[in-house]
């Protein structure tokens, strides 16, 4: 992973290379900060993930060869320290309040009446209306512009110091923009985008870890981890909304405050007046448009509430209502607080998204590890903007706990907008003939007896010839983050395994177009496309192949760590359990699972057979533009990166890099203190490149660069 932030080994400092390296390090840091700002604050990404990762990796490499250039505020140093034993308690300078709730138009109108009564006026008030983020509230503390601390809300008076974890959130600048004096406390919400959440749960599942019920739980759980490395791997985001205690400020209202936040380089919603915001909502345009609004009076605030409720599912993150705040800070102060809530704001909550439907059947699915999962099939019903007809029932003990039976009327809920679940059974509507549901003792696919392994709740089919298990394993193998066989859909995989044309991974590469055409309803063009995408998948990386094998507990990250450590499949296949536990990021459970798998001769034989079809080396390079194709570049002198790394880069871009200058040499890449090679190159009239020139050549190739 490009964001690796291992403790940096102290290597001897090469003073000659220092000035050049320093310049580059500063340049890289500035560029990365700029890209983070564009991405997280301005919501307009400037580069691809690939480009970002490349630059990030270069910075990591440079800082590791030049430990003297290390800076605790470098973007590579977001994971600051080692796991901590417990969170320190920190009192808030200003209490973190909660909000009173409103659930209807009437409640909002009543809120406005209370505000006016308290102010002793009949005048229309200006309200600032925002989304109510469904995440975890935190306070960020900046001292003289530098990020110093992050604290959870806790009981409102005292929170917990979660600085280590919050620091890993790239949306948070470690330095505020512009000059900044004194202490600034800013409140906001840590959350996870819905799309990132689905991926996170997939990764958790692949790694055999527990999945999260919704993005809010995942965000809160991540912030409560004692090891910041875990938080760093979670796709956390943050939006700021409220001021805490602030030493110097001229900001007079919530709308000015949001503007101010953006000026400081902090992520916050953008806003406009309700008229303009509404025009965008009406046209169904949400991205690029303000999501908060200045509303004149309660009627506009209600309109905002209703409009947001309609489009909440189109938002990239979960919200549970809107917050309506009196815009002026001085009026807020005049109103003050009652109990633990301000009088000047209300949370207008959306009604919970649940619906009632009937369970038509309970099916038992077989996963790629043979695990049996009961799934309720229901009459389709709309919940949270989508039609729901299946809900996972997890396992027998879940079914027993909720006593869910075929024919039951149930309440379904979409947890965190993604996974539908049955909340409860409407017992009064239960048919008298109903019986408790038991997962059958035989695999629904192959009929073999199923087993409950020691220490597990799930039942498993352990027949490795089971068509369902094979078909699920192949689906995983072909999936996007594994071998990425784009055109090979689930349905075709099921047909292929049913027809026994595919019984193991390598069989995919033995398939002919005629084999594919023998499947029901398979057309010429589609068969051709499938064959082509199978062929394309042959060029890939070792990490993807290891991940694709579907070894229990080996998720994408673990596969990457294994590939990085072993470098070749042969070395991986020969790994001992003792060697595996030594690898960073690989625990005893994972190591034992891998070594069990590797002890199967059949498995190892199949991987070797598979390898015959793959080209792992060319792959890595295939993705990189071959800008140096046909060029021979010799390296000399001290350069910002170690020589073997530069050589790898040249090879990856299709060039050659022998150790000495000769007649076929096209360029000499010369750093400081270049020696005899420089002389030789000058004699032969070989063009000399400096580091910048080399970067240009890498990017553009010879014609332009
Ligand atoms: S302003 C006096 N604005 O809601 C409290 N809060 O019930 C001022 N929240 O703990 C808070 N989105 O976690 C504010 N746009 C928003 C919010 C928001 C979510 C949460 C926050 C707070 C809770 C209050």
């Amino acid at each position: 992973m490009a964001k690796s932030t291992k403790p940096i080994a102290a290597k001897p400092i090469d003073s000659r290379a220092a000035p050049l390296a320093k310049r580059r390090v500063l340049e890289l840091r500035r560029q990365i900060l700029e890209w983070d700002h564009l991405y997280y604050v301005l919501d307009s990404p400037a580069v691809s993930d690939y480009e970002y990762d490349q630059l990030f990796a270069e910075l990591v490499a440079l800082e590791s060869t030049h430990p003297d250039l290390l800076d605790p505020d470098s973007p590579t140093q977001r994971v600051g320290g080692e796991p901590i034993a417990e969170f320190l308690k920190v009192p808030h300078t200003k209490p973190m309040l909660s909000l009173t709730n409103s659930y209807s138009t009437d409640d909002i109108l009543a809120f406005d009446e209370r505000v006016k009564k308290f102010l002793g006026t009949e005048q229309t008030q200006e309200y600032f209306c925002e989304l109510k983020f469904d995440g975890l509230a935190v306070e960020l503390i900046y001292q003289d512009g530098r990020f110093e601390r992050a604290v959870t809300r806790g009981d409102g008076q005292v929170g917990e110091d979660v600085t280590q974890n919050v620091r890993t959130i790239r949306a948070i600048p470690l330095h505020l923009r512009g000059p900044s004096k004194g202490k600034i406390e800013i409140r906001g919400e840590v959350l996870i985008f819905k799309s990132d959440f689905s991926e996170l749960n997939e990764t958790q599942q692949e790694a055999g870890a527990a999945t999260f019920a919704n993005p809010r739980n995942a965000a809160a759980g991540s912030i409560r981890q004692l090891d910041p490395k875990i938080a760093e791997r979670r796709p956390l985001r943050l939006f700021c909304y409220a001021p805490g205690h602030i030493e110097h400020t001229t900001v007079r209202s919530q709308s000015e405050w949001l503007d101010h936040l953006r000026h400081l380089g902090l992520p916050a919603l953008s806003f406009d007046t309700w008229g303009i915001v509404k025009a965008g909502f009406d046209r169904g345009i949400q991205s690029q448009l303000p999501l908060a609004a200045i509303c004149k009076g309660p009627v506009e605030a209600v309109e905002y509430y209703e409009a947001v409720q309609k489009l909440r599912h189109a938002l990239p993150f979960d919200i549970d209502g809107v917050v309506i705040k009196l815009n002026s800070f001085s009026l807020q102060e005049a109103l003050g607080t009652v109990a633990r809530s301000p009088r000047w704001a209300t949370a207008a909550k959306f009604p919970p998204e649940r619906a009632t439907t009937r369970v038509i059947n309970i099916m038992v699915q077989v996963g790629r590890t043979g695990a049996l999962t009961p799934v309720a099939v229901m009459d389709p019903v709309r919940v949270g903007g989508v039609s729901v007809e299946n809900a996972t029932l997890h396992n027998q003990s879940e079914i027993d706990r909720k006593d869910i039976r075929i024919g039951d009327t149930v309440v379904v809920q979409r947890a965190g907008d993604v996974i539908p679940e049955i909340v409860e059974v409407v017992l009064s509507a239960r048919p008298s003939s109903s019986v408790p549901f038991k997962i059958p003792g035989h695999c629904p696919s192959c009929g073999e007896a199923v087993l409950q392994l020691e220490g597990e709740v799930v039942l498993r089919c352990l027949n490795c010839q089971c068509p369902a298990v094979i078909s699920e394993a192949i689906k995983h193998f072909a999936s996007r983050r594994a071998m990425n066989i784009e055109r090979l859909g689930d349905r075709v995989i099921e047909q292929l395994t049913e027809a026994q044309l595919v019984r193991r991974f390598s069989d995919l590469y033995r398939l002919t177009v005629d084999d594919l055409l023998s499947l029901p309803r398979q057309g010429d063009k589609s068969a051709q496309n499938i064959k082509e995408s199978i062929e394309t998948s042959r060029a890939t990386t070792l990490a993807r192949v290891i991940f694709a094998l579907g070894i229990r507990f080996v998720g994408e990250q673990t596969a990457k760590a294994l590939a990085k450590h072993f470098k070749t499949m042969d070395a991986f296949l020969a790994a001992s359990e003792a060697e595996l536990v030594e690898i960073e990021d690989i625990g005893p459970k994972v190591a034992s699972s891998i070594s069990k798998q590797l002890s199967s001769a059949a498995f190892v034989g199949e991987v070797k057979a598979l390898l015959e079809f793959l080209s792992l080396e060319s792959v890595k390079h295939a993705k990189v533009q071959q800008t140096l194709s046909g060029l021979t570049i010799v390296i000399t002198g001290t350069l910002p990166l170690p020589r073997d790394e530069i050589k790898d880069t040249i090879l990856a871009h299709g060039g050659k890099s022998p150790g000495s200058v000769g007649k076929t040499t096209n360029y000499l890449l010369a750093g400081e203190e270049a020696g005899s090679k420089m002389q030789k190159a000058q004699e032969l009239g070989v063009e000399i490149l400096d580091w910048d020139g080399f970067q240009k050549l890498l990017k553009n190739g010879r014609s332009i660069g």
Side-chain angles (χ1 to χ4, degrees):
M1 194 168 65
K3 285 188 212 158
S4 153
T5 43
K6 287 211 192 97
I8 282 167
K11 283 192 187 166
I13 302 161
D14 184 345
S15 56
R16 296 163 303 179
L20 202 64
K22 183 169 182 185
R23 210 175 56 201
R24 181 74 183 147
V25 161
L26 294 179
E27 192 177 289
L28 290 169
R29 283 183 192 150
R30 195 198 44 73
Q31 182 64 79
I32 289 167
L33 286 182
E34 182 59 28
W35 285 346
D36 280 345
H37 183 251
L38 281 165
Y39 189 86
Y40 293 107
V41 181
L42 302 182
D43 194 21
S44 62
V47 283
S48 66
D49 288 0
Y50 178 76
E51 269 175 280
Y52 184 98
D53 290 348
Q54 292 279 91
L55 230 69
F56 202 95
E58 191 186 340
L59 181 57
V60 170
L62 267 177
E63 287 176 344
S64 78
T65 42
H66 299 276
D68 55 314
L69 295 180
L70 211 53
D71 175 338
D73 288 346
S74 166
T76 61
Q77 300 303 303
R78 282 191 178 256
V79 177
E82 293 303 306
I84 52 173
E86 59 174 355
F87 298 111
L88 280 181
K89 297 259 185 281
V90 184
H92 294 293
T93 322
K94 210 172 119 182
M96 280 177 87
L97 303 171
S98 53
L99 293 168
T100 54
N101 293 329
S102 302
Y103 293 99
S104 61
T105 304
D106 284 351
D107 287 354
I108 297 172
L109 297 177
F111 160 73
D112 172 65
E113 286 303 326
R114 285 197 303 275
V115 167
K116 286 192 294 205
K117 190 168 160 217
F118 207 93
L119 293 173
T121 173
E122 275 303 306
Q123 266 181 356
T124 305
Q125 299 300 311
E126 189 174 271
Y127 292 109
F128 193 81
C129 299
E130 298 173 26
L131 306 177
K132 185 170 188 313
F133 303 103
D134 197 8
L136 176 81
V138 291
E139 176 160 76
L140 310 177
I141 304 172
Y142 285 86
Q143 180 67 44
D144 297 327
R146 183 165 185 269
F147 174 70
E148 203 179 65
R149 197 174 238 191
V151 187
T152 60
R153 182 174 125 160
D155 64 4
Q157 304 291 332
V158 178
E160 288 181 323
D161 185 330
V162 287
T163 312
Q164 292 226 76
N165 291 334
V166 171
R167 250 184 88 89
T168 66
I169 304 175
R170 304 202 150 268
I172 297 178
L174 297 177
H175 285 275
L176 296 178
R177 299 197 146 210
S180 181
K181 269 260 159 290
K183 197 179 204 176
I184 302 186
E185 293 179 351
I186 292 147
R187 288 157 186 189
E189 200 94 348
V190 174
L191 46 81
I192 290 180
F193 278 20
K194 293 184 212 169
S195 56
D196 291 333
F197 172 74
S198 321
E199 274 200 25
L200 172 63
N201 260 356
E202 265 174 49
T203 314
Q204 290 284 110
Q205 201 154 28
E206 279 151 8
T211 52
F212 300 100
N214 53 50
R216 191 176 56 77
N217 285 3
S222 306
I223 291 299
R224 294 205 45 83
Q225 292 288 335
L226 293 169
D227 182 355
K229 276 203 199 120
I230 300 180
E232 193 220 7
R233 284 191 221 120
R234 303 276 166 83
L236 298 168
R237 301 281 198 128
L238 172 116
F239 285 100
C240 299
Y241 45 71
H245 170 76
I246 292 191
E247 278 169 8
H248 313 277
T249 184
T250 50
V251 176
R252 286 166 309 172
S253 64
Q254 178 67 16
S255 49
E256 282 183 22
W257 169 249
L258 253 62
D259 263 343
H260 184 59
L261 287 173
R262 293 185 144 246
H263 276 121
L264 295 174
L266 288 159
L269 293 178
S270 54
F271 66 92
D272 214 308
T273 57
W274 172 237
I276 292 178
V277 173
K278 184 178 186 306
F281 279 24
D282 282 353
R283 275 180 280 131
I285 308 168
Q286 300 103 37
S287 63
Q288 316 283 320
L289 267 172
L291 292 165
I294 299 173
C295 294
K296 296 260 184 267
V299 175
E300 286 192 2
V302 167
E303 281 179 348
Y304 174 85
Y305 167 71
E306 285 172 349
V308 171
Q309 186 169 344
K310 277 198 203 112
L311 70 69
R312 63 185 291 206
H313 298 293
L315 292 171
F317 44 80
D318 282 342
I319 57 171
D320 57 347
V322 301
V323 185
I324 303 173
K325 307 173 180 178
L326 203 54
N327 197 19
S328 150
F329 280 174
S330 60
L331 292 183
Q332 287 185 6
E333 215 163 294
L335 278 164
T337 61
V338 58
R340 290 192 164 187
S341 312
R343 286 196 191 84
W344 46 263
T346 185
K349 295 280 208 70
F350 298 137
E353 297 200 273
R354 291 181 170 187
T356 306
T357 182
R358 209 178 56 94
V359 177
I360 310 169
N361 195 4
I362 297 178
M363 294 211 322
V364 177
Q365 290 180 346
V366 188
R368 76 183 149 91
T369 59
L372 303 195
T373 311
V375 176
V377 183
M378 304 168 295
D379 282 330
V381 63
R382 280 188 82 78
V383 196
V386 297
S387 173
V388 166
E389 50 189 318
N390 295 319
T392 171
L393 302 176
H394 304 286
N395 51 52
Q396 186 69 53
S397 58
E398 271 293 293
I399 296 180
D400 295 344
R401 194 169 64 80
K402 293 180 181 163
D403 188 17
I404 296 166
R405 307 178 182 188
I406 296 172
D408 270 346
T409 298
V410 291
V411 177
V412 284
Q413 166 174 289
R414 276 181 78 217
D417 270 332
V418 226
I419 319 157
E421 63 170 359
I422 293 182
V423 192
E424 59 185 8
V425 174
V426 183
L427 285 175
S428 58
R430 173 169 281 171
S432 56
S433 60
S434 87
V435 286
F437 181 83
K438 280 269 167 279
I439 299 178
H442 295 272
C443 171
S445 173
C446 69
E448 290 249 331
V450 294
L451 287 172
Q452 188 164 11
L453 298 181
E454 215 184 292
E456 292 194 340
V457 255
V458 296
L459 290 167
R460 282 180 200 281
C461 167
L462 294 178
N463 171 15
C464 58
Q465 307 289 325
C466 171
V469 173
I470 295 174
S471 151
E472 291 306 305
I474 300 283
K475 284 180 198 171
H476 169 75
F477 181 84
S479 66
R480 186 170 59 80
R481 297 195 342 255
M483 299 299 282
N484 192 21
I485 310 181
E486 282 178 344
R487 300 302 184 104
L488 188 62
D490 287 359
R491 187 71 205 110
V492 174
I493 292 175
E494 282 159 20
Q495 292 175 338
L496 284 167
T497 47
E498 250 158 59
Q500 307 215 343
L501 284 166
V502 172
R503 284 179 215 169
R504 51 186 82 85
F505 302 132
S506 59
D507 285 345
L508 285 175
Y509 297 97
R510 296 190 187 97
L511 285 176
T512 61
V513 173
D514 284 341
D515 287 336
L516 288 161
L517 283 171
S518 73
L519 299 175
R521 294 178 306 280
Q522 187 58 251
D524 251 348
K525 180 78 190 143
S526 153
Q528 204 72 46
N529 283 340
I530 294 171
K531 177 73 186 156
E532 255 167 45
S533 71
I534 294 176
E535 288 303 307
T536 312
S537 76
R538 290 156 66 127
T540 187
T541 61
L542 179 59
R544 277 178 179 266
V545 182
I546 294 178
F547 174 57
L549 296 175
I551 303 169
R552 264 192 97 194
F553 306 133
V554 178
E556 216 178 351
Q557 294 309 328
T558 307
K560 280 184 187 162
L562 290 166
K564 196 169 158 201
H565 180 87
F566 289 106
K567 304 214 164 54
T568 68
M569 186 59 94
D570 284 338
F572 170 62
L573 292 177
S576 69
E577 186 164 345
E579 191 179 0
L580 288 162
V581 229
E582 284 302 303
I583 304 172
E584 208 193 350
D585 290 340
I586 294 187
K589 188 176 85 173
V590 182
S592 144
S593 162
I594 298 171
S595 98
K596 232 182 250 155
Q597 186 75 80
L598 295 182
S599 68
S600 152
F603 177 82
V604 173
E606 165 55 14
V607 176
K608 290 196 167 149
L610 171 67
L611 227 51
E612 294 291 309
F613 295 99
L614 306 180
S615 59
L616 292 193
E617 266 325 296
S618 59
V619 178
K620 216 162 124 212
H621 305 164
K623 282 206 180 134
V624 176
Q625 280 220 347
Q626 301 295 290
T627 42
L628 304 184
S629 168
L631 296 182
T632 299
I633 304 173
V634 176
I635 311 167
T636 187
T638 312
L639 289 153
L641 289 181
R643 217 174 276 185
D644 53 346
E645 267 182 48
I646 303 174
K647 184 169 171 179
D648 283 350
T649 308
I650 295 175
L651 298 183
H653 285 76
K656 286 197 203 127
S657 184
S660 57
V661 178
K663 279 194 210 110
T664 54
T665 309
N666 300 93
Y667 296 100
L668 179 71
L669 168 56
E672 287 171 351
E673 305 281 316
S676 60
K677 285 184 202 168
M678 176 71 107
Q679 217 178 340
K680 184 82 190 281
Q682 280 162 345
E683 279 168 27
L684 291 173
V686 171
E687 193 172 328
I688 316 281
L689 277 180
D690 63 6
W691 185 248
D692 281 351
F694 174 63
Q695 296 298 324
K696 274 193 202 130
L697 187 69
L698 263 188
K699 201 160 161 246
N700 305 322
R702 179 145 61 167
S703 50
I704 315 164

